[in-house]
Every structure is written in C-alpha cells, then in structure tokens.
Amino acid sequence: MHEFTPWPKTARLFRDIVVTEKLDGTNSAIHITKGAAVLCPSSVFEAYPLKLGEVFVDGYIWFITAQSRKRIITPGKTTDNYGFAGWVHDNAADLVRILGEGLHFGEWWGRGIQRGYGLEGKRFSLFNTTRWDAVDEDSGTSMKSRAEQSDIIDQIDVVPTLYVGPFSESVVWQIVDDLRTYGSVAAPGFENAEGVCIFHTASGRVFKVTSDHRDGNPQRLASGPLNDVRRDAGKWEAA
C-alpha cells in the first residue's frame, strides 16, 4: 500500500523579502558543536591532546568543521578549498566565540577566488543577515559585536543587505541595475558586481538574479504588480 503524501504548503508570493549582494567566491560553511566541560585542561590535554577540529574555549571542548559546497574540507594542499579550512583551523577559537554553536553558511571570497574584488586578502561573509545582528539574551552581545572585539574583524562579516520589504520584481531589477551602475557594495570601487540573492521569508527559499543579462531584460521596470508578476516569468533561479 502507498503512504499518503500531502502537497506541501503553498507560500504567498507577495510577502517580505531580503535582498543581499551575491558575492562571487566559493560557497562555504563552518559547523560548530559544543562538547564536554574540562575542569583541569592542562592535565587532561597532556594525556589526551586535542585533535584536528577540536579547540578548547572558555572551559569547554568545541568541535569545528569546515566545508565547501560539496564536501568536508581540511587544511592541506589537496584537501582544502582556497585555504578556507586552513583559515578556520587557524582562527578556531575566535570563530567559536563569534559564531557560537550551529551551522554557519557564507561566501569565502577575495584575492585569488573568482572575481577577486580587488582585495588583498580573503574574507568570510555570512548569509544569515538576521542572525548576524541578533543580540543573545544571555551574553547581551551579537555576532557582529563579538567580531568587532576579535582579531579577525577584517576577515569576517555578513553579506550587504540592499532591501527588506514586500516582494516586487521591479525593486529587484532596480537593485541589480544599481549594482551595474555603481558597482559592488561589499567591495566599494569594484565595478563588476555579480548580482543579488533574494530570501523569500514566507517560503524560506533563496533565489538569485545575476547582472550578466542571463535573467532577462536589465532595463529598469515601470512599477506595478501586474508587470512584476508577468515579466520574465520562470527566470528566477534557486540559489
């Protein structure tokens, strides 16, 4: 016998969206899990040294793992991805304090990766803009404020938010047009911005629109809900 499979709930299109700049680097993530408390670290770690992916922070062992879009990565010439795992390993304690427990997705971008953006080094920009600014009730701090107090403030941040409000295709195209005209917000002075990502709050999905003319007519649109719905239907891509 077959089991009943319901049709998933249909989200309403005209709900709030969050538009951020799409960065042309490499999709990455940091997975952090809190482990056991250690009361006498000197004696414990003398007998049981910390392994790769383990770090002792504020009285606890933490497990920290780096990943690319498709696999777990570790420091090493053939096992890393543009040096991201090495950076995570070298800055594990700071990353635990800044990000806390969880799976943190973002873009590893900058020198030597795709567009490069004219940067001298690389940086990790988180995708979750809300979580970056959210204040933790226990500590009274946010990821942003903790990053500002760390030694890696110039290496970790969040993707720029370009719009928050009701879904409107004309607004999205206006933002893409502005990126074409004025260049990247994440890297001021760099003209060749890639495009935008759109987080649709009601569906929980992320879509992308690139500025390379593959997503339809790049000209600005006349505002209006009918035009927004009909124009270039079907050309939204899931990121």
Side-chain angles (χ1 to χ4, degrees):
M1 294 289 292
H2 294 124
E3 294 184 1
F4 173 72
T5 303
W7 177 262
K9 184 177 180 180
T10 302
R12 292 185 179 274
L13 177 61
F14 291 97
R15 291 296 183 265
D16 282 354
I17 59 173
V18 180
V19 181
T20 57
E21 182 175 352
K22 186 179 190 303
L23 299 174
D24 188 16
T26 182
N27 185 283
S28 304
I30 302 171
H31 201 164
I32 299 173
T33 304
K34 190 176 185 179
V38 178
L39 299 179
C40 301
S42 57
S43 58
V44 170
F45 297 143
E46 183 178 352
Y48 304 98
L50 291 170
K51 301 175 183 178
L52 180 67
E54 298 177 348
V55 61
F56 181 67
V57 178
D58 299 333
Y60 290 86
I61 294 175
W62 296 77
F63 303 96
I64 183 166
T65 303
Q67 65 180 49
S68 66
R69 180 184 290 275
K70 296 182 178 180
R71 61 187 175 91
I72 299 294
I73 54 177
T74 56
K77 187 174 181 179
T78 61
T79 57
D80 207 339
N81 186 44
Y82 291 103
F84 182 67
W87 177 78
V88 170
H89 174 75
D90 292 343
N91 298 283
D94 276 328
L95 291 169
V96 165
R97 291 191 176 102
I98 293 169
L99 301 177
E101 197 165 22
L103 181 56
H104 309 280
F105 286 95
E107 196 81 359
W108 180 238
W109 62 291
R111 185 179 179 87
I113 309 175
Q114 306 299 343
R115 280 170 167 80
Y117 290 84
L119 299 182
E120 290 299 319
K122 301 180 182 70
R123 63 182 63 167
F124 183 56
S125 294
L126 293 153
F127 295 147
N128 193 327
T129 57
T130 301
R131 192 175 183 187
W132 177 253
D133 290 312
V135 176
D136 180 75
E137 292 183 0
D138 294 330
S139 67
T141 63
S142 64
M143 289 183 182
K144 180 180 179 180
S145 65
R146 294 192 294 270
E148 290 172 344
Q149 299 300 315
S150 75
D151 293 332
I152 57 172
I153 178 57
D154 59 340
Q155 301 169 51
I156 186 168
D157 57 11
V158 68
V159 291
T161 298
L162 307 178
Y163 170 79
V164 178
F167 171 83
S168 168
E169 191 176 345
S170 61
V171 168
V172 172
W173 281 116
Q174 179 64 64
I175 295 169
V176 173
D177 190 36
D178 287 345
L179 287 174
R180 288 194 185 99
T181 302
Y182 303 111
S184 171
V185 175
F190 184 79
E191 296 181 357
N192 188 22
E194 185 183 16
V196 297
C197 285
I198 303 102
F199 174 65
H200 188 265
T201 59
S203 67
R205 294 196 64 190
V206 180
F207 302 86
K208 65 183 178 183
V209 178
T210 54
S211 57
D212 56 7
H213 303 284
R214 289 191 296 173
D215 287 298
N217 188 343
Q219 295 179 354
R220 296 179 181 179
L221 302 176
S223 61
L226 187 59
N227 288 338
D228 289 346
V229 172
R230 288 182 176 176
R231 186 180 176 280
D232 294 324
K235 291 193 175 181
W236 296 92
E237 294 182 77

